[in-house]
Amino acid sequence: MAASNEAPHDDPRQRGAGELLRDLSNETTKLVRQEIELAKAELTAKGKVASAGAGLFGGAGLFGVVAFAALTTALMAALATGMALWLAALIVTVVYAAVAGVLALAGRKKVQEASPAVPEQAIDSTKEDVRWARTRARSGRT
């Protein structure tokens, strides 16, 4: 008889159904926990990207307020002193408005990169685990 390095219970054919079901339950629980951790990590990464986009929207809002203030200054200068000051203030207003537009577009792009807020890697990994388990179950039946 050949010596075996395996314990008698390492061979699934030698183990009882109760022991196999307990192992299956333990492994399933472990797998679910790992998938939840993966989903948490993925959502955290997407949250960071979304917060960067929100910061850019904040910058766009700030420059929008500055553009409104410059427009107000331009209107007051136009009424008070004449065309030259008014024209200069209007040019500043247009520049600030352009900056606000660029920041808004950049913020929108960042927010779109973070969506959908679904843990795609965790879902793909879970689907792969299910395919693997089905393959193992089918090969065990034959």
Side-chain angles (χ1 to χ4, degrees), residues 42-58 106-117:
E42 192 174 346
L43 288 174
T44 298
K46 285 190 175 197
K48 288 179 182 178
V49 172
S51 68
L56 290 170
F57 273 132
R108 181 175 142 217
K109 182 180 177 185
K110 285 290 185 185
V111 170
Q112 286 175 339
E113 286 176 12
S115 55

Side-chain angles (χ1 to χ4, degrees), residues 41-81:
E42 192 174 346
L43 288 174
T44 298
K46 285 190 175 197
K48 288 179 182 178
V49 172
S51 68
L56 290 170
F57 273 132
L62 173 66
F63 273 91
V65 168
V66 170
F68 181 74
L71 178 61
T72 302
T73 302
L75 291 173
M76 289 187 306
L79 293 173
T81 61

